[in-house]
Amino acid sequence: MLVFEAYDDRAYETVVDKLTRLHMESSFLFSFEPAIIHFGTDKWQPPEYMYLKAYHNGSDAIQLPHEEQAVKYTELLSNKYLPTDRRYTLVVSPLFSNEEHYGILMCEIKHEYFNYLQSVTVQLCAALKIITLMKQQAVTQKQLKKSLIEIKENNELLRDLSRQDALTGCYNRRGFFEELRKRLSNDKNEGEKAIMVFADLDCLKTINDKFGHEEGDFAILSAAKILKHSFGNSEIVGRIGGDEFVVCAFLDNAIDIPSMRNHIEAVTREYNIKYAADKPYIIHTSVGVYPFVCSATLEIGELLSHADILLYEEKKHKRSILKSDYE
């Protein structure tokens, strides 16, 4: 029986096949599913159904498909698989180990061979005990595997949350540095051209002071959307401060800084028309764009410093973001 998997009913067929050689005219091996825990002080409560795993009736052992195994407990001695062409006497042997009841063996055997039953049932009970343990182990392993998957998913979620800015969904400072370091260390990017963009949302303090922090949050979220739309989802966009954003973009073609600035401005104008037309202020970011060549030895902090210097020059030309100043 133990050669097979815990849930393989062929194990029961092998038992019945052996019983055909022990001077048994017929045998029927029933199983409780699951095993019944019954203590000596309990009142026996039979299950509604038993499951005829395998049987023989004067012929070879037959293994029943699972959908045909259920037999009502009240029909144990009157089910359709019992002999109908002769009189017979069945010996019913419970199969159990301590308080665990696994099922019943019913067999038709001549009285001179009754001594076989004791050794047969002892061996059957021992095998069924091991099979029950194997089933429990399979369930435990399945639950453990499920738990490990859940733990892995939760850890991945926590890792993502620890690297993500809650308001904008961009990388936070930690996430930006980790992701960019991974990209720079990738051999495929060695020697490729890229740009570091340092962006600052103009006049966030003015928006907060005049219109409230909800409007400030809207402006911050808008700036993040503008940068994501300007560079696409494949680039690394991070929010590293209250109103400070950084973008690292890996470009296939030659870098044209003026064209890049014009592209960001165009996306910004379109966003203001579509999504901020009713606001009393304009969403705008000042940007510093610093080109560089990818290398695993680059210091990310130095790249940001170069882009920040260029941003500072850009902010000297910053205009008012209040629409009332242009009326």
Side-chain angles (χ1 to χ4, degrees):
M1 291 183 74
L2 303 182
V3 171
F4 300 96
E5 297 287 340
Y7 290 93
D8 194 334
D9 285 347
R10 286 180 295 172
Y12 299 92
E13 183 185 6
T14 62
V15 172
V16 172
D17 181 61
K18 300 299 186 295
L19 296 180
T20 62
R21 309 172 197 177
L22 294 178
H23 304 283
M24 294 186 181
E25 292 295 321
S26 63
S27 61
F28 305 85
L29 186 51
F30 291 89
S31 171
F32 297 140
E33 293 187 3
I36 297 175
I37 307 298
H38 177 74
F39 296 96
T41 57
D42 296 339
K43 181 180 179 181
W44 173 252
Q45 293 293 336
E48 183 179 0
Y49 288 95
M50 302 185 66
Y51 295 85
L52 181 57
K53 295 294 185 177
Y55 75 97
H56 90 280
N57 180 15
S59 59
D60 295 334
I62 297 174
Q63 174 195 336
L64 289 177
H66 192 270
E67 62 272 12
E68 298 179 14
Q69 293 177 5
V71 175
K72 285 187 176 182
Y73 192 81
T74 54
E75 297 176 359
L76 183 64
L77 298 175
S78 60
N79 66 79
K80 64 181 180 180
Y81 301 103
L82 297 176
T84 58
D85 56 348
R86 66 181 187 278
R87 295 182 63 183
Y88 56 89
T89 300
L90 289 173
V91 180
V92 180
S93 299
L95 304 174
F96 63 93
S97 175
N98 296 325
E99 70 278 2
E100 291 183 320
H101 288 238
Y102 307 119
I104 289 174
L105 170 65
M106 296 198 316
C107 60
E108 187 181 0
I109 187 171
K110 295 180 179 179
H111 70 276
E112 60 263 34
Y113 300 114
F114 270 18
N115 60 303
Y116 289 168
L117 289 178
Q118 182 177 6
S119 61
V120 167
T121 54
V122 168
Q123 292 183 61
L124 261 179
C125 291
L128 289 170
K129 173 69 174 179
I130 295 175
I131 287 178
T132 299
L133 293 174
M134 290 168 61
K135 288 182 178 181
Q136 292 172 349
Q137 182 184 40
V139 171
T140 301
Q141 288 178 338
K142 184 177 180 180
Q143 292 173 339
L144 178 60
K145 184 177 180 181
K146 181 181 178 181
S147 297
L148 290 174
I149 292 174
E150 290 176 350
I151 290 172
K152 181 179 178 182
E153 291 175 347
N154 289 335
N155 285 340
E156 290 176 351
L157 178 60
L158 289 174
R159 185 199 64 185
D160 291 342
L161 290 175
S162 70
R163 289 159 39 98
Q164 190 178 64
D165 176 61
L167 176 61
T168 64
C170 301
Y171 287 111
N172 57 21
R173 186 179 188 87
R174 173 189 171 186
F176 180 82
F177 272 73
E178 288 182 356
E179 186 65 21
L180 180 53
R181 175 54 58 198
K182 184 171 67 175
R183 297 276 190 97
L184 292 176
S185 300
N186 191 329
D187 293 339
K188 293 181 180 180
N189 292 323
E190 184 71 25
E192 296 295 323
K193 293 180 179 180
I195 58 171
M196 180 68 74
V197 178
F198 206 124
D200 184 88
L201 175 61
D202 291 339
C203 304
L204 175 61
K205 186 176 184 305
T206 300
I207 296 173
N208 281 329
D209 291 345
K210 284 185 171 292
F211 309 110
H213 286 276
E214 286 188 6
E215 291 297 329
D217 287 347
F218 173 81
I220 292 170
L221 183 58
S222 297
K225 290 180 178 179
I226 288 169
L227 291 172
K228 288 179 180 179
H229 185 70
S230 297
F231 292 96
N233 294 328
S234 61
E235 311 303 350
I236 309 172
V237 181
R239 181 190 177 199
I240 63 172
D243 57 359
E244 294 179 329
F245 296 85
V246 285
V247 181
C248 186
F250 299 81
L251 307 175
D252 296 330
N253 303 318
I255 300 169
D256 184 349
I257 302 301
S259 296
M260 182 61 65
R261 289 182 181 278
N262 291 336
H263 175 63
I264 296 173
E265 287 289 340
V267 173
T268 301
R269 287 193 299 270
E270 183 179 356
Y271 186 90
N272 276 286
I273 292 171
K274 285 187 176 181
Y275 305 107
D278 60 339
K279 300 295 182 183
Y281 53 85
I282 299 169
I283 308 295
H284 191 269
T285 56
S286 299
V287 297
V289 184
Y290 178 72
F292 66 95
V293 177
C294 294
S295 170
T297 60
L298 285 174
E299 289 293 334
I300 298 175
E302 290 185 10
L303 296 175
L304 291 175
S305 295
H306 288 301
D308 190 26
I309 292 171
L310 296 172
L311 168 65
Y312 181 76
E313 293 297 323
E314 175 74 10
K315 288 187 77 70
K316 290 180 180 180
H317 308 290
K318 180 176 64 175
R319 299 180 300 169
S320 172
I321 53 90
L322 298 176
K323 292 181 179 179
S324 59
D325 290 342
Y326 297 96
E327 293 176 354

